[in-house]
Amino acid sequence: MGESHVIIVGGGVIGMSLAWRLTGAGARVSVIDAGAGAPPATNAAAGMLAPSFEQSAGPLAEALYAFSVESLARWRDFAPMLERDAGMRIDYRDDGILGAALSEAEEEELKGAFSPLKARGASVEWLSPEEIRAREPLLSAKVRGGFFAHDDAQVDPRRVLAALHRVFLEAGGAFIAARATSLATKNGDARGVTLESGETIEGDAVVIATGAFAQICDLAPPVFPVKGEALALDMTSVPFARVVRTKHAYLCPKAGGRLVIGATEAPHDASLDPSSSRVEALKRAAIDAAPALSSCAELERWAGLRPGTPDGAPILGRPAESPEGLFLALGHYRNGVLLAPETAEKLTSLILEGENASALGAFSPGRFEPR
Ligand code: GLY
């Protein structure tokens, strides 16, 4: 189906990565997005590529960890290729992530995360307080220990999104700023989407990649918003070297002296207003981890909506009993940026070649459907 027209509803990092990959594979692609260029998950993300720190506790924990590690590996080519084709930097840094415990209880918790990583063969190293502070001298003297995940990395998600837009348009893709309201079918097959204006965009396949909001096609997959608040400080005077994670905050240094601090979690809250009490608590947690941050000016605070699912794993592939040609790429929860390249790769094979890649089997929409 190399010449087919694929319609992707949703212009966040998942939809746009898939769009770019599909155009590279020879498909004609249209992306439909109503979000005015600021998709509520991607735009708010801190951009950590952190399988070591985002381990799921759910039934798909092992499958999700494996998928995360594969996607992290894919980022090593995806990032330079995107930067080259877009002619812009996306602030990809593969210099590891440091997890630091500030209390005895946090140390126990980090040890609990470290052991299974070691057992899975991850490149992780337990560090003494002195070793941690040697890697990040701005951390508080309260630090008791922690670990360094050598392979974990980060990007700037807003730059990634801008770069994806650029390469997608240059590859001949169409971006339609509109709200898709329903699926258009012909002889029971998905054949496009109808927009709020009443216009129908026709295609051969439709992918729903609308993050936490997927109720466009009478399917209602079980995604829900998990609000996350974050803020950015001007760290010009206290430059952080690398990403640091503590129990109550993560600190992600970005280009241009910007330090992104995240993030709160408020399930089923769909508002995009940051709560000042939650952001202040987050800021206090960051200052507790690195007291010098108290002198930094605040640049911005915001909220985003992670697409949560009941088991914390994404929903990828064809829903059972749905029109042929309909695909879901939803529910990446805390890991949309990390999982974008591998999601794009696997869904491209599925859409263009009909390969029901076994790697996607675990994440199939069918797991939530009545049998
Ligand atoms: N991936 C980090 C977060 O969702 O806050």
Side-chain angles (χ1 to χ4, degrees):
M1 195 165 109
E3 296 291 303
S4 61
H5 180 202
V6 182
I7 296 171
I8 299 173
V9 186
V13 71
I14 296 295
M16 292 306 296
S17 298
L18 177 59
W20 184 41
R21 182 67 190 85
L22 282 164
T23 54
R28 190 178 140 218
V29 183
S30 299
V31 173
I32 298 171
D33 188 273
T42 307
N43 202 48
M48 285 173 293
L49 311 176
S52 308
F53 293 93
E54 294 286 353
Q55 299 176 68
S56 149
L60 295 178
E62 284 309 319
L64 187 52
Y65 180 72
F67 198 63
S68 303
V69 169
E70 277 160 30
S71 205
L72 175 66
R74 219 172 263 290
W75 263 105
R76 292 181 198 125
D77 292 331
F78 186 90
M81 204 160 85
L82 182 57
E83 289 193 330
R84 186 199 62 209
D85 288 7
M88 63 178 280
R89 306 305 303 271
I90 58 166
D91 209 3
Y92 174 65
R93 303 182 193 196
D94 59 352
D95 53 0
I97 296 185
L98 195 56
L102 299 175
S103 68
E104 202 177 327
E106 288 178 24
E107 192 180 355
E108 285 314 304
E109 209 170 304
L110 267 191
K111 281 185 177 152
F114 177 76
S115 306
L117 284 170
K118 262 289 197 222
R120 285 163 170 158
S123 178
V124 287
E125 181 186 359
W126 189 262
L127 301 176
S128 67
E130 296 71 34
E131 288 167 327
I132 293 207
R133 294 185 70 229
R135 282 181 193 263
E136 187 45 85
L138 289 166
L139 284 174
S140 152
K142 280 165 61 174
V143 166
R144 297 180 57 94
F147 70 86
F148 187 58
H150 289 264
D151 292 338
D152 287 18
Q154 68 157 333
V155 286
D156 182 326
R158 294 181 189 173
R159 289 182 185 219
V160 169
L161 198 60
L164 284 169
H165 270 265
R166 199 179 279 184
V167 292
F168 173 62
L169 295 179
E170 274 169 14
F175 189 88
I176 302 167
R179 185 174 303 284
T181 51
S182 60
L183 192 68
T185 56
K186 195 169 172 186
N187 302 328
D189 295 347
R191 281 292 172 261
V193 291
T194 302
L195 307 182
E196 208 165 34
S197 63
E199 185 191 354
T200 294
I201 309 291
E202 289 183 9
D204 305 295
V206 176
V207 185
I208 309 297
T210 42
F213 301 99
Q215 284 72 12
I216 89 148
C217 49
D218 303 329
L219 270 173
V223 287
F224 56 89
V226 182
K227 180 176 176 176
E229 281 115 341
L231 72 152
L233 300 183
D234 177 352
M235 60 159 195
T236 324
S237 57
V238 282
F240 257 79
R242 67 182 78 255
V243 178
V244 174
R245 296 188 56 134
T246 67
K247 182 169 170 63
H248 298 293
Y250 49 74
L251 317 174
C252 304
K254 304 291 181 189
R258 192 175 142 88
L259 183 71
V260 172
I261 297 171
T264 62
E265 281 234 350
H268 302 285
D269 182 342
S271 84
L272 281 170
D273 299 323
S275 130
S276 60
S277 61
R278 285 201 296 253
V279 175
E280 289 305 326
L282 189 59
K283 199 169 176 175
R284 281 196 300 276
I287 292 170
D288 191 35
L293 292 179
S294 62
S295 65
C296 296
E298 188 175 317
L299 299 172
E300 190 190 353
R301 53 176 66 185
W302 65 90
L305 304 177
R306 307 175 184 93
T309 62
D311 59 11
I315 303 175
L316 306 176
R318 293 222 345 92
E321 321 252 330
S322 66
E324 272 302 315
L326 176 67
F327 300 87
L328 306 183
L330 293 166
H332 291 74
Y333 185 33
R334 298 175 59 94
N335 291 303
V337 182
L338 168 64
L339 298 177
E342 189 64 0
T343 299
E345 196 61 34
K346 290 291 188 285
L347 274 174
T348 296
S349 308
L350 180 61
I351 295 165
L352 297 185
E353 284 142 37
E355 270 176 31
N356 204 340
S358 53
L360 283 189
F363 307 121
S364 145
R367 73 190 191 274
F368 296 119
E369 291 163 12
R371 284 166 209 278

